[in-house]
Amino acid sequence: TRISRPERILAYVKKHAVPGDAESVANAIDAYCSGVEWAMNIGIDKGKILDRVVSETDPDTVLELGTYCGYSTVRIGKLLRPEARLITIEMNPDYAKVAKQIIALAGLDSKVEILVGSSSELIPQLKKKLDIKTLDLVFIDHWKECYLPDTRCLEESGLLHKGTVLLADNVVCPGAPEYVKYIRNSSRYRSEYFSSRLEYLQVEDGLEKSVFLG
Ligand SMILES: Oc1cc(-c2ccc(F)cc2)cc2cncnc12
Ligand SMILES: [Mg+2]
């Protein structure tokens, strides 16, 4: 059988990126996915919104739900201070295998920890397993049906503090209606929608930024 799409992306990055240069890794993935074949990375336009939210939040501890090939992991990781930590959860071991190599190529492996498994099982273990107190930023970009249950789990696990930022991808396409309904109607969050484009296409999509009020 042919190699998978993530493995084709990895091969392209190995050929075209500069080891240790995170920006060249992200640019290589964008070049491949714009020019050769589409893939579900956050992409350039939404990526710039992600960059701005990460820079404004300047987090010590970040949780990403949904690693895929590690594109957003690299985009976030390259903006973090040296002592900051980024935990990313991916349930597909084949995706995680590729992401680990892409994150290492970007020179970010010292800041990033990839956990392979179900977010609903791993979130309750974060405090104990990873000596984490609370999260400063959560980037939600996995299966849309998991956005709301995982957010409830983050609340109940005591992982959110006053001011924690949740940033959710794909709130328009493919859409996360239950999550959006909950978060926009909850008095425990202040939410803001950032309209953009689906990665590498002219279709509308957007990010929902929600600040936990405690
Ligand atoms: O950014 C994304 C985009 C799409 C997607 C797929 C097919 C389509 F037609 C449109 C959009 C799916 C995703 C699944 N998980 C995380 N992120 C995703
Ligand atoms: Mg996405």
Side-chain angles (χ1 to χ4, degrees), residues 50-68:
L50 171 65
D51 292 352
R52 194 170 64 241
V53 171
V54 172
S55 302
E56 286 166 3
T57 310
D58 190 23
D60 288 314
T61 311
V62 183
L63 174 64
E64 174 179 63
L65 301 177
T67 316
Y68 188 44

Side-chain angles (χ1 to χ4, degrees), residues 22-208:
E23 186 135 7
S24 77
V25 168
N27 289 341
I29 296 172
D30 284 328
Y32 183 80
C33 296
S34 307
V36 182
E37 57 176 328
W38 187 90
M40 59 180 172
N41 315 119
I42 191 170
I44 302 162
D45 299 334
K46 290 187 291 177
K48 285 177 182 153
I49 299 169
L50 171 65
D51 292 352
R52 194 170 64 241
V53 171
V54 172
S55 302
E56 286 166 3
T57 310
D58 190 23
D60 288 314
T61 311
V62 183
L63 174 64
E64 174 179 63
L65 301 177
T67 316
Y68 188 44
C69 295
Y71 174 85
S72 49
T73 325
V74 166
R75 269 200 98 117
I76 296 168
K78 72 179 167 41
L79 296 172
L80 299 182
R81 279 182 274 101
E83 65 279 11
R85 293 175 66 198
L86 169 46
I87 315 295
T88 184
I89 295 176
E90 176 53 58
M91 69 173 293
N92 181 315
D94 299 323
Y95 293 173
K97 188 162 171 277
V98 166
K100 191 173 171 58
Q101 296 174 74
I102 284 182
I103 291 159
L105 246 171
L108 295 169
D109 33 331
S110 63
K111 288 184 190 172
V112 177
E113 175 138 20
I114 304 180
L115 303 180
V116 185
S118 142
S119 49
S120 56
E121 285 169 24
L122 288 168
I123 286 171
Q125 300 174 32
L126 286 180
K127 281 200 176 220
K128 194 168 24 43
K129 265 181 72 160
L130 293 171
D131 180 33
I132 284 174
K133 291 181 187 53
T134 50
L135 301 167
D136 303 311
L137 171 65
V138 184
F139 178 52
I140 309 171
D141 189 24
H142 56 343
W143 294 124
K144 315 309 153 201
E145 309 75 45
C146 301
Y147 279 32
L148 181 51
D150 285 353
T151 297
R152 305 289 283 136
C153 189
L154 286 166
E155 291 169 357
E156 284 145 26
S157 305
L159 283 161
L160 306 182
H161 62 68
K162 190 172 165 33
T164 298
V165 173
L166 304 189
L167 187 66
D169 190 24
N170 309 119
V171 292
V172 169
C173 177
E178 297 82 8
Y179 173 79
V180 167
K181 184 162 173 274
Y182 170 79
I183 209 90
R184 288 182 182 166
N185 294 305
S186 167
S187 59
R188 302 182 75 188
Y189 296 90
R190 181 170 25 78
S191 292
E192 189 178 357
Y193 172 65
F194 293 95
S195 177
S196 185
R197 292 277 167 274
L198 183 65
E199 48 267 31
Y200 317 114
L201 296 173
Q202 294 308 312
V203 175
E204 155 128 23
D205 190 19
L207 300 173
E208 187 82 4

